[in-house]
Structures are given as structure tokens and as C-alpha cells.
Amino acid sequence: MRTRGKIHTVPVFLLACLLLGALTGCAGVAVGPRPAPGSPGRAQIEQLLAAVQVVPHRPHAGGYERDCGSGEGCVFGPAWSDDHDGPGGHDGCDTRNNVLARQLTEVAYRPGTRNCVVQSGTLADPYTGTRIVFDRRSAQQMPVDHIYPLAAAWDMGAAAWTPTQRIRFANDIDYNLQATDRATNTAKSDSTPAQWLPPSRPGHCYYAGRYLTVALRYQLPVTAADHGVLREIAARCD
């Protein structure tokens, strides 16, 4: 632009920072972090927010028992069952391995398992914003999270579902399952968005979109507090 007859050019270092999205080494340049891959934009999340049912607070239906031992409720079926009618069901491979095969890169399978049992791979974790190396020898360090928690789903309506629908929900590899690290999964537990958000801010739009998509797909409501948090996230999404 011209000011008082002089031509002002953008400093080379500033132009480089803006073009490359550099987050360090460019003092005074405010460049926001890029959303996690697969994140929806603001308009998409706002559409989901407009469509989802909102309730004042989370009820407590009672009777939730996830474990399947003797005398336990097993209300969502055995963990990672292949015996369901959703994607990946009855394919001879359990749900957890289906998730790892989908979400990891550089996947290697245990020989003799017909490309079922994931032995190693790398996860680009949207929750933590890090790349995590998976090795089956320490498999417990990479749990699989239910984005819309099972306990919350039970309270919000799943208590009235058929067992078949609950098992499908618990093993939904298309929408409701996300591999992450153990510490993050433990911190999240059965929390909903008003209580917990991914530690990596670029993962917030991804999480919000996935959470709302699951809610709508299964006709589950969100609380007013959750809706408010997700609306604030949407305002920051591209």
C-alpha cells in the first residue's frame, strides 16, 4: 500500500510466518493452530447444534453396569464384541482391532490373524495433538474411547434401548470410537463436554463435531451446559 508517496512492503520474515503457519520464532505474529485433521468447520458444527435436542441437566437412570462378570448387568454387551449388526460386525475381528486398523498408519498385523490383530502402528491423536507409536506388547497404553460415553448415553436414553441397539452403539467404529493415550482416556472417563475437553486445543472442533454427530445419529440429547461449551468451540472453528 502507499502512504505519503512511499511503498511499504511486508517484511520477508512476517510473510514466511503467515504462509507457513509458523507458531514459534515469529515474535508478535498471531497465527492460530490448525484444527486436527477431519475437523468440521464452524457452519457444520452450528448446524449440528441447531438440530440436537437439549435438556436442562443429565438425569440419572440408575442400573448402569458395564462389566459382564457373574451377576453384573453387562448393559452394553461384552467389550469390543464382534457380535453386532453395525460396521465391522461379524467380520471375524473384534471392534478394538477394527478401530486400530482404521485409525493407525504404518499398520503391521500379527502373522496368521488374517490382517485382524494389529501388532504395531502410529496414531495421529486428535485428543493430544501428538503422534503415538503403538506396540501390542504395551497395548494397554492405547485404549479406545467412547466419544459419547456409555454411562452418559445410558442416562440420556440408552437405558430404554434394546440390547441390540446398545451393543451396536458400544461398537460403532464409524462414529463413536477414538483411540488415544491412556492418561487422556483416564482423565476423560465418563465426562461430557462441559466437564472435559481434549488437552490439545486444535482437537476441540474435531471432538465437538464427533460428539454432536453421535448424539444426533442415536437421538441422544446433550445438556444445556454441554451445548454451551460446544457452541463456544464452534465460534473458534474455521
Side-chain angles (χ1 to χ4, degrees):
M1 64 181 175
R2 294 180 180 273
T3 304
R4 297 182 181 179
K6 295 182 180 179
I7 298 176
H8 294 263
T9 58
V10 178
V12 173
F13 90 94
L14 175 58
L15 182 59
C17 288
L18 294 174
L19 290 176
L20 298 177
L23 300 179
T24 60
C26 304
V29 180
V31 181
R34 294 178 60 81
S39 299
R42 175 175 181 172
Q44 292 171 286
I45 297 178
E46 288 180 342
Q47 288 177 351
L48 296 171
L49 286 165
V52 74
Q53 179 187 356
V54 182
V55 295
H57 53 79
R58 173 177 168 177
H60 296 284
Y64 173 73
E65 288 185 325
R66 173 66 173 127
D67 293 335
C68 296
S70 177
E72 295 177 307
C74 196
V75 297
F76 283 93
W80 313 134
S81 173
D82 186 41
D83 187 14
H84 64 91
D85 60 3
H90 303 293
D91 67 352
C93 193
D94 65 89
T95 297
R96 174 178 162 80
N97 277 295
N98 282 334
V99 171
L100 295 178
R102 281 187 170 206
Q103 297 183 1
L104 273 57
T105 58
E106 304 167 355
V107 173
Y109 297 95
R110 178 183 291 172
T113 63
R114 293 182 292 183
N115 286 356
C116 172
V117 178
V118 176
Q119 189 160 290
S120 62
T122 303
L123 173 71
D125 183 10
Y127 283 2
T128 64
T130 62
R131 293 179 65 81
I132 306 172
V133 175
F134 171 78
D135 187 319
R136 192 162 186 84
R137 290 172 296 183
S138 56
Q140 70 277 6
Q141 297 304 316
M142 188 175 287
V144 174
D145 175 54
H146 289 91
I147 295 173
Y148 197 119
L150 298 184
W154 177 265
D155 288 342
M156 293 293 206
W161 293 352
T162 65
T164 297
Q165 188 174 2
R166 289 199 293 267
I167 292 171
R168 184 189 312 130
F169 178 85
N171 294 278
D172 188 340
I173 62 177
D174 281 347
Y175 296 97
N176 198 33
L177 298 176
Q178 177 60 54
T180 186
D181 69 15
R182 187 174 184 83
T184 301
N185 183 254
T186 299
K188 179 177 183 286
S189 186
D190 292 325
S191 300
T192 60
Q195 304 159 321
W196 180 91
L197 290 174
S200 173
R201 191 179 181 92
H204 288 187
C205 299
Y206 175 88
Y207 172 67
R210 289 285 295 274
Y211 193 94
L212 289 165
T213 296
V214 174
L216 285 167
R217 180 173 175 79
Y218 289 92
Q219 298 182 340
L220 292 168
V222 301
T223 67
D226 290 335
H227 195 270
V229 168
L230 296 172
R231 186 173 62 248
E232 291 175 1
I233 291 173
R236 302 193 296 267
C237 298
D238 293 338

